[in-house]
Amino acid sequence: AADSGKWLQAGIYGDSYGQTDWAAALNHQFNTSLKTELNAGYTHDFMDKDVNNDGFRDLPRKRELNITTNWHYKKGKYTACFGFETLNNAATGGSTHFDGRQADTANYGTFTQRDMATAWTNHSIAFNSRNKAEAALAYTYDRSNSLYGVRTNENTLNTYDVQASYIRTFNQRHTLRAGATHNGFLTSNTLGLKDSIYIDDIETEAYDFTTGIFAEYTYKIDSILRINARMNADWSNWFGFFYAPEVSIDYFPYKFLLVNANISRNKN
């Protein structure tokens, strides 16, 4: 799409069953240091499909919008990448007389909706040909709600991930990487009956985070053998302190054949 060499591409699709698809891809080079890519897609299925005429939709009526953009900046020894993605979709099923998000005691219906947004950024500085520092940050907001008859479910999830590392390349065969990580999520969930005055909603909430350090050593012999040894030491607010050693060996006897062996252990 956006990396095909053309600065803009677009397409439209429609059929007699009520489905339409719109898509566009855009890329632009502002200067020698900065370029961007944008992809967008929209789907709308707006007709009821009831082939056997039983009064219920054979497939849900749906719509979905997705937008993704990436930015890349490079100047001298500094490189930065950042972008975001959004997703919005909704689907309505059940009785052909059910139309909307409100519970209908006369006509059984289902409705689901999801709204998600993700933002991320990566940065790296090459001090010289053998030493480099990297940092990455990502955040996601994800909210969904559903209605099945009169039962409802609403869920919200916030996640984040932060990582910083230092890479030392001794030569073509030996590389050492070390750094620190921190990630977590906050989730809330509500179960209930739509517009019910007899049963209270059930609400739950949880927060989890993990902070740790790691070191990773890689040994390579051309494109034939790669040995990777890694040690993680982390602390979680749920599970306490734990560490995880891991060794992975990749052997390529032929270009089309990979032999892999992996040994790891998690210990509190």
Side-chain angles (χ1 to χ4, degrees):
D3 58 356
S4 64
K6 300 179 180 179
W7 73 275
L8 175 63
Q9 294 185 91
I12 302 175
Y13 167 83
D15 59 30
S16 59
Y17 293 97
Q19 179 173 329
T20 60
D21 293 288
W22 307 68
L26 168 69
N27 74 87
H28 182 65
Q29 182 89 35
F30 292 94
N31 49 52
T32 56
S33 299
L34 181 64
K35 65 179 180 179
T36 185
E37 298 176 356
L38 173 67
N39 291 276
Y42 178 70
T43 297
H44 191 192
D45 194 353
F46 55 87
M47 289 180 61
D48 289 332
K49 299 176 178 63
D50 183 15
V51 178
N52 56 357
N53 296 315
D54 63 351
F56 284 85
R57 298 180 177 95
D58 300 328
L59 295 172
R61 204 169 59 215
K62 62 183 179 181
R63 58 175 175 79
E64 179 174 306
L65 174 65
N66 180 266
I67 299 175
T68 304
T69 181
N70 298 308
W71 295 74
H72 186 273
Y73 177 81
K74 181 176 177 59
K75 191 173 182 63
K77 298 179 179 180
Y78 174 69
T79 302
C81 300
F82 48 95
F84 71 87
E85 178 181 0
T86 62
L87 173 67
N88 174 271
N89 60 33
T92 303
S95 170
T96 55
H97 297 289
F98 173 78
D99 185 17
R101 308 181 184 185
Q102 300 298 320
D104 186 346
T105 55
N107 300 290
Y108 179 84
T110 66
F111 177 81
T112 60
Q113 180 174 338
R114 184 184 183 193
D115 300 294
M116 185 188 74
T118 298
W120 56 270
T121 180
N122 297 328
H123 303 265
S124 68
I125 300 177
F127 301 104
N128 50 52
S129 60
R130 294 189 176 184
N131 297 275
K132 182 170 68 172
E134 295 181 342
L137 170 65
Y139 171 77
T140 298
Y141 171 82
D142 194 346
R143 183 179 184 274
S144 61
N145 65 82
S146 61
L147 169 67
Y148 293 90
V150 295
R151 297 184 178 275
T152 63
N153 184 3
E154 297 182 6
N155 186 74
T156 302
L157 177 64
N158 292 271
T159 62
Y160 64 89
D161 188 10
V162 183
Q163 179 173 307
S165 59
Y166 182 83
I167 303 98
R168 167 70 174 177
T169 302
F170 297 96
N171 51 48
Q172 294 183 348
R173 294 189 175 184
H174 301 272
T175 303
L176 179 64
R177 180 189 184 104
T181 62
H182 179 73
N183 57 74
F185 71 84
L186 172 64
T187 180
S188 60
N189 184 265
T190 302
L191 298 173
L193 297 178
K194 192 70 173 179
D195 301 326
S196 173
I197 61 175
Y198 303 104
I199 301 178
D200 293 333
D201 292 342
I202 301 175
E203 299 182 359
T204 58
E205 187 174 279
Y207 175 62
D208 174 35
F209 70 88
T210 303
T211 301
I213 57 176
F214 68 91
E216 183 178 87
Y217 167 75
T218 303
Y219 174 74
K220 295 190 298 182
I221 300 179
D222 300 326
S223 58
I224 300 175
L225 178 67
R226 181 174 62 237
I227 302 175
N228 183 273
R230 181 183 176 103
M231 169 64 80
N232 285 60
D234 301 279
W235 189 86
S236 167
N237 64 324
W238 282 10
F239 305 105
F241 175 78
F242 58 95
Y243 63 91
E246 180 180 1
V247 177
S248 178
I249 302 175
D250 295 328
Y251 175 56
F252 301 85
Y254 304 100
K255 291 183 178 180
F256 55 85
L257 178 63
L258 166 64
V259 179
N260 173 265
N262 186 280
I263 303 174
S264 63
R265 181 183 183 185
N266 292 336
K267 186 175 179 61
N268 293 77

